[in-house]
Amino acid sequence: MPPLKILICGGGLAGNALAFWLTQQNHSVTVLERFPSLRLNGLQIDLRGHGVEAMKRMGLSAAFAAHAVPEQGLAFVNSAGKRKAWFPANTSGKGTQGFTTEHEIMRGDFCRVMVDAVGDRVKYVFGKTVRSFEQEERGVRVQYSDGGSGEFDIFVGADGQWSHTRAMMLGPGIPDPVTFLGLYIAYFTVPLQQGQGEEMKGEAYIATGKRVMFTRRHRADTIQVYLMSPILSGGMEGVKKGDVEGEKRAFKRDFSGAGWKADQLMKWMEASEDFYCERLSTVDCASWCDGRVVLLGDAGYCPSAATGMGTTSAIVGAYVLAGEIGKYCSGAGGSKEAVPAALKAYDERFRPFMDQVKEGINPETGYWTKIPTSQWGIAVLNFLLGLAAFLRLDAFAKLVSHEDVKGWSLPEYEGMDMRS
Ligand SMILES: Cc1cc2nc3c(=O)[nH]c(=O)nc-3n(C[C@H](O)[C@H](O)[C@H](O)COP(=O)(O)OP(=O)(O)OC[C@H]3O[C@@H](n4cnc5c(N)ncnc54)[C@H](O)[C@@H]3O)c2cc1C
Ligand SMILES: *[C@@H]1O[C@H](CO)[C@@H](O)[C@H](O)[C@H]1NC(C)=O
Ligand SMILES: *[C@@H]1O[C@H](CO)[C@@H](O)[C@H](O)[C@H]1NC(C)=O
């Protein structure tokens, strides 16, 4: 069976994980990334449960561990910066680490680890995307944004939450299946030297008006800043996605004078070059494939950061998709004709996993709806539980966990365990 020609649109975590497995199967893989280079920004992410196992099967344990973030704990502070609660990480090295998992890593580092593992077996094309496609008898023909065209056996949309591939696959007139959950999150980093005796810690402050500020140190010379603002503040209304200056202005309007380090954080935000604003949303597609076109990662089934499972879902999905392609289309018994059946099998196998991960995530039940406005008590507890899931703090997260997907185990596929 000759290798398949596969086009992956989107060079994020999902796209690269899939490229990794497909080149193991000796297919001919092209990754198309709209940006002029790999997008290595993004803050701290983690792998959980089946995601850890999938990463291990890629043979990447050592490379991953070399970049893991060593976090010591999390503090909640009041408007004067006084510590109200401190949750240390368990550094015993045994069992779970307590409040942060041992599989925390910066998004860009994980992306780089996978790209390095793929090496030169994948053709990367930057600054280009797919404008349209047509399914043909034995393949799919794509038109590129630069006017060129190409023919492939499989076209994969791994182009993130706002996937154009998804829109093209669904066709004109079909509403995009994105549900906005009512929370905006800003992410950026700040060059800031660690002080004498200062821990590698996170610090969270909840201001009135359901505004949350969070800083987190992952390196001796850099911290991460997270700002969360619910829809009710109105600041983001009318600001277009990707209008970074507009997004920064909206956050500034919302957070100036909010207490704690708000004003300092605003100055840093204005100067930041890696600012990224997420409109917390889920993506729910009734089908992840159509013929030879298939959706992977946030493009198909974004569970939102509220589950803490976005990266795990991307990595596990890539493993299953590659596994089914291997089973149906690679090796002696495989055939190109089996591509649509392979893509359907991926949808069937992986969907029960995503259904569990996304269970109960909707605009009414999110933890941000429970952010206390003035009164502390039960509301605070509820909020903290949810926030802990977002921040992936083990001890709390277990109580509201989306990680523990039951009755589903990572399928075994021939040749897909690279542990040495
Ligand atoms: C810049 C950035 C920063 C992020 N920061 C965080 C974070 O701090 N915390 C967190 O939990 N999650 C973050 N995420 C989201 C997180 O990476 C995903 O939820 C998860 O890893 C699933 O990955 P994905 O590959 O499906 O999507 P993504 O990681 O979003 O990757 C999609 C890729 O496709 C590319 N792309 C988009 N449109 C097109 C197109 N039309 N043609 C070609 N390529 C296209 C994008 O540039 C990107 O490289 C970030 C995503 C991005 C893109
Ligand atoms: C891929 O090619 C290599 C080198 O030719 C070969 O050793 C390996 O068995 C092939 N893998 C598969 C899954 O066909
Ligand atoms: C840390 O974890 C280990 C192993 O699970 C446990 O025995 C120990 O009591 C924990 N320490 C703290 C301070 O929680």
Side-chain angles (χ1 to χ4, degrees), residues 147-159:
S149 69
E151 209 176 300
F152 296 88
D153 298 304
I154 305 179
F155 172 34
V156 183
D159 44 353

Side-chain angles (χ1 to χ4, degrees), residues 12-149:
L13 300 183
N16 279 300
L18 182 67
F20 172 89
W21 286 118
L22 293 176
T23 52
Q24 290 299 329
Q25 295 173 17
N26 294 337
H27 295 303
S28 158
V29 180
T30 303
V31 171
L32 208 59
E33 167 59 50
R34 183 177 55 170
F35 265 64
S37 62
L38 281 175
R39 288 188 88 183
L40 297 178
N41 52 336
L43 307 188
Q44 203 168 317
I45 53 151
D46 80 345
L47 291 175
R48 292 184 160 261
H50 296 92
V52 175
E53 174 67 14
M55 180 273 289
K56 287 185 176 162
R57 289 190 192 182
M58 295 169 91
L60 296 179
S61 285
F64 192 101
H67 291 94
V69 174
E71 196 160 63
Q72 288 174 309
L74 170 78
F76 279 90
V77 298
N78 68 10
S79 64
K82 190 167 170 355
R83 203 174 263 195
K84 299 311 254 181
W86 169 244
F87 303 107
N90 185 338
T91 49
S92 71
K94 291 203 202 78
T96 56
Q97 289 188 317
F99 290 92
T100 54
T101 78
E102 61 187 308
H103 296 104
E104 298 277 331
I105 193 169
M106 297 302 283
R107 179 181 179 276
D109 288 339
F110 190 30
C111 195
R112 177 56 73 193
V113 161
M114 287 196 284
V115 170
D116 286 349
V118 163
D120 55 11
R121 291 173 300 162
V122 163
K123 185 175 163 205
Y124 287 92
V125 179
F126 295 103
K128 191 162 144 176
T129 185
V130 169
R131 184 175 292 152
S132 64
F133 70 81
E134 258 171 81
Q135 307 248 16
E136 298 175 339
E137 181 81 34
R138 307 201 52 196
V140 49
R141 170 166 294 279
V142 305
Q143 302 290 334
Y144 298 118
S145 49
D146 64 2
S149 69

Side-chain angles (χ1 to χ4, degrees), residues 262-330:
D263 295 336
Q264 176 67 70
L265 297 183
M266 292 306 103
K267 287 207 186 87
W268 282 333
M269 179 180 73
E270 286 188 297
S272 73
E273 284 169 10
D274 61 355
F275 176 94
Y276 168 79
C277 172
E278 178 176 12
R279 287 147 176 80
L280 198 74
S281 310
T282 57
V283 172
D284 309 278
C285 292
S287 173
W288 296 328
C289 59
D290 178 17
R292 293 170 177 273
V293 180
V294 64
L295 303 175
L296 176 69
D298 283 358
Y301 47 75
C302 178
S304 88
T307 61
M309 289 287 280
T311 306
T312 288
S313 302
I315 300 308
V316 174
Y319 173 85
V320 176
L321 178 53
E324 297 299 330
I325 291 172
K327 202 158 100 186
Y328 281 78
C329 311
S330 309

Side-chain angles (χ1 to χ4, degrees), residues 83 85 90 107 161 215-216 223 226 256 284 316 374 386 398:
R83 203 174 263 195
N90 185 338
R107 179 181 179 276
Q161 193 182 337
T215 64
R216 188 173 215 182
I223 60 166
Y226 300 70
S256 291
D284 309 278
V316 174
S374 55
K398 288 222 175 339

